[in-house]
Amino acid sequence: MDKFTKLTGVAAPLPMINVDTDMIIPKQFLKTIKRSGLGKNLFDEMRYDDNGNEIADFVLNKPAYRNAQILVSGDNFGCGSSREHAPWSLLDFGIRCVIAPSFADIFYNNCFKNGILPIRLPQEDVDKLMADAERGANATVTVDLEKQEITGPDGGCIKFEVEEFRKHCLLNGLDDIGLTLQKADAINTFEAKRAASQPWLSL
C-alpha cells in the first residue's frame, strides 16, 4: 500500500450526514474482488442518472472537484454494511483522506488498511474545512500526518488525533500483509525448525 505522509490537494465538500456504504459504492458493483476500476462507480447513484449520464450538480462531477483528493463530509460517514469496496472505490477515484465528525467503526478501520486517512474532528472544525472546500479548486488543503495538522488555504491550522500504531502503518505503507512480511525472517526460521523436528507435517 502507498505511504501517506503529507497530502496537498483539492478538498471536495459533501455536506451530508449518514453517508452509507451503499451510497459510496452500490451493491451491484460488489461482484469484483479487484481493488482497481471502482472509482468510476463511486457515489454512482448520485453521480449518474438512469441513462448513465453525469448529474452536473453532484460535487465530484463539477470541474473544480474532479481531481479531489480530500473529502469533507458529515457525521457517521461510512455507516451501513461492512463492504471493503467502499474504501477501494474512494481510493481508486483518488481520495486519500476523508474528514468528518464521526465514522462508522468498520469503515474507519478499513480506511487505514487501504491507505486512506480518516480524520475525526469536532463539528466546528469540519464546518471551517467545509467552507474552505466550497471555494473550489484554487483553495487547496494540506494534511500532514507526521505533524497531525491540517492547513487551510488561508494558513489556518487544525490539529487532529490518530492512534500511534495506525499512524506508523500509514507513514510506512504497511497493510496487514506488509506487517506480516516484516516478520518474514522469524516466520522462515520457525518453519525451518518445524520441518526439521516434524517432517511429517510437510508431506
Side-chain angles (χ1 to χ4, degrees):
M1 127 181 142
D2 291 337
K3 296 180 181 180
F4 189 113
T5 52
K6 181 187 286 188
L7 173 67
T8 298
V10 172
L14 188 66
M16 299 173 62
I17 64 171
N18 300 322
V19 174
D20 65 35
T21 53
D22 195 53
M23 294 168 67
I24 297 170
I25 185 72
K27 58 185 178 300
Q28 62 266 33
F29 303 110
L30 304 184
K31 297 176 182 178
T32 182
I33 57 172
K34 294 181 180 179
R35 301 188 183 197
S36 60
L38 289 170
K40 64 181 180 294
N41 301 118
L42 176 68
F43 296 117
D44 189 85
E45 294 175 0
M46 291 190 283
R47 281 173 72 191
Y48 307 104
D49 62 23
D50 291 341
N51 296 316
N53 300 311
E54 288 188 354
I55 298 173
D57 288 341
F58 184 67
V59 60
L60 296 182
N61 289 336
K62 296 179 180 180
Y65 302 108
R66 286 184 177 273
N67 296 312
Q69 295 176 279
I70 301 164
L71 188 66
V72 185
S73 194
D75 200 33
N76 200 29
F77 191 91
C79 57
S81 64
S82 56
R83 58 190 69 174
E84 199 166 7
H85 294 68
W88 290 357
S89 62
L90 286 162
L91 189 62
D92 193 60
F93 180 87
I95 302 292
R96 293 295 312 274
C97 178
V98 182
I99 301 169
S102 67
F103 295 88
D105 288 342
I106 294 176
F107 174 84
Y108 184 78
N109 292 333
N110 282 340
C111 280
F112 285 103
K113 294 180 179 182
N114 288 281
I116 296 174
L117 173 61
I119 298 176
R120 291 184 289 219
L121 291 176
Q123 185 65 57
E124 56 267 30
D125 288 335
V126 174
D127 291 342
K128 292 175 187 176
L129 292 169
M130 191 76 72
D132 286 338
E134 289 171 350
R135 293 163 58 179
N138 291 326
T140 58
V141 173
T142 296
V143 179
D144 189 324
L145 178 56
E146 183 66 49
K147 294 181 178 179
Q148 295 179 211
E149 293 178 349
I150 303 169
T151 306
D154 296 325
C157 183
I158 296 171
K159 299 288 289 185
F160 64 90
E161 297 296 323
V162 61
E163 292 175 317
E164 195 60 36
F165 175 71
R166 286 171 164 164
K167 177 180 179 179
H168 168 79
C169 290
L170 281 178
L171 286 172
N172 293 281
L174 297 171
D175 57 11
D176 288 345
I177 294 174
L179 286 168
T180 302
L181 290 176
Q182 287 190 314
K183 307 294 184 181
D185 290 344
I187 293 170
N188 291 334
T189 298
F190 170 82
E191 291 292 343
K193 289 181 178 178
R194 188 182 67 167
S197 63
Q198 300 171 305
W200 58 89
L201 293 178
S202 301
L203 297 178

